[in-house]
């Protein structure tokens, strides 16, 4: 029999957060109702639809860049030890077969953000982004993700 499991990667699997989280809960609810096994790889979650599993992965930390990198490493470790036919990522994720970045690709978002600024405000925003540890972490992980 064919394995019909899909792993979904998102840090917070909680419908009450709205946005990507609500989209994911609706998606897994429908897929599990159609007989597909759904496993959510996350840092934390709210109520899960019937039949949907969650695997809580490490990803805490004092800063955004630490949380992002820890979650990335936890996902990578989990995927090295467990095999899923489909890995659907709604966030940064190594080895994803489907990438659906609801927040957008950071480099594209940043380019649009900087275009909305003028003069000194644009220069200041560009400098702040260059020295931000979170931004460097996200750019590094996105580059690795799309290079695979």
């Amino acid at each position: 029999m064919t394995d019909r499991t899909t792993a979904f990667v998102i840090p917070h699997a909680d419908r009450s957060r709205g946005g990507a989280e609500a989209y994911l809960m609706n998606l897994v609810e429908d897929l599990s109702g159609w007989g597909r096994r759904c496993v959510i790889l996350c840092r934390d979650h709210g109520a899960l639809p019937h039949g949907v599993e969650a695997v809580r992965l490490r990803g805490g930390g004092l800063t955004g860049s630490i949380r992002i990198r820890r979650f990335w490493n936890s996902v990578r470790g989990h995927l090295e030890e467990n095999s899923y036919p489909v890995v659907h990522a709604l966030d940064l994720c190594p080895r994803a077969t489907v990438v659906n970045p609801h927040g957008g690709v950071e480099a594209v978002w940043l380019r649009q953000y900087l275009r909305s600024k003028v003069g000194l405000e644009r220069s200041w925003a560009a400098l702040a982004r260059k020295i931000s540890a979170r931004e460097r972490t996200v750019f590094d992980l996105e580059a690795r993700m799309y290079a695979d």
Side-chain angles (χ1 to χ4, degrees):
M1 184 158 159
T2 303
D3 185 358
R4 297 174 49 87
T5 302
T6 301
F8 294 88
V9 179
I10 192 165
H12 310 286
D14 186 349
R15 186 186 306 268
S16 69
R17 294 176 70 102
E21 293 82 1
Y23 164 85
L24 174 63
M25 290 298 116
N26 292 335
L27 179 60
V28 298
E29 189 169 42
D30 287 346
L31 288 174
S32 66
W34 297 336
R36 183 167 293 274
R37 180 175 171 239
C38 297
V39 178
I40 302 173
L41 309 180
C42 58
R43 284 182 31 210
D44 53 64
H45 63 82
L48 297 172
H50 177 73
V52 175
E53 305 166 44
V55 176
R56 286 188 178 201
L57 300 175
R58 196 170 139 235
L62 293 176
T63 67
S65 61
I66 291 171
R67 287 188 295 272
I68 291 166
R69 191 163 300 278
R70 280 187 181 160
F71 185 64
W72 169 280
N73 289 333
S74 294
V75 169
R76 187 183 63 215
H78 181 82
L79 293 176
E80 286 172 357
E81 295 174 8
N82 300 274
S83 177
Y84 300 99
V86 178
V87 177
H88 183 136
L90 286 95
D91 198 61
L92 294 169
C93 174
R95 300 189 177 132
T97 51
V98 176
V99 178
N100 186 3
H102 275 252
V105 176
E106 195 81 10
V108 174
W109 177 87
L110 180 58
R111 193 174 315 118
Q112 292 170 346
Y113 170 78
L114 289 176
R115 280 190 198 138
S116 71
K117 305 296 179 193
V118 293
L120 187 57
E121 187 180 26
R122 177 181 286 182
S123 299
W124 177 249
L127 176 62
R129 292 287 181 192
K130 283 183 180 180
I131 61 175
S132 166
R134 180 196 174 280
E135 295 302 323
R136 285 194 313 272
T137 298
V138 169
F139 286 151
D140 174 55
L141 296 179
E142 278 186 351
R144 289 171 51 193
M145 184 173 80
Y146 289 114
D148 287 346

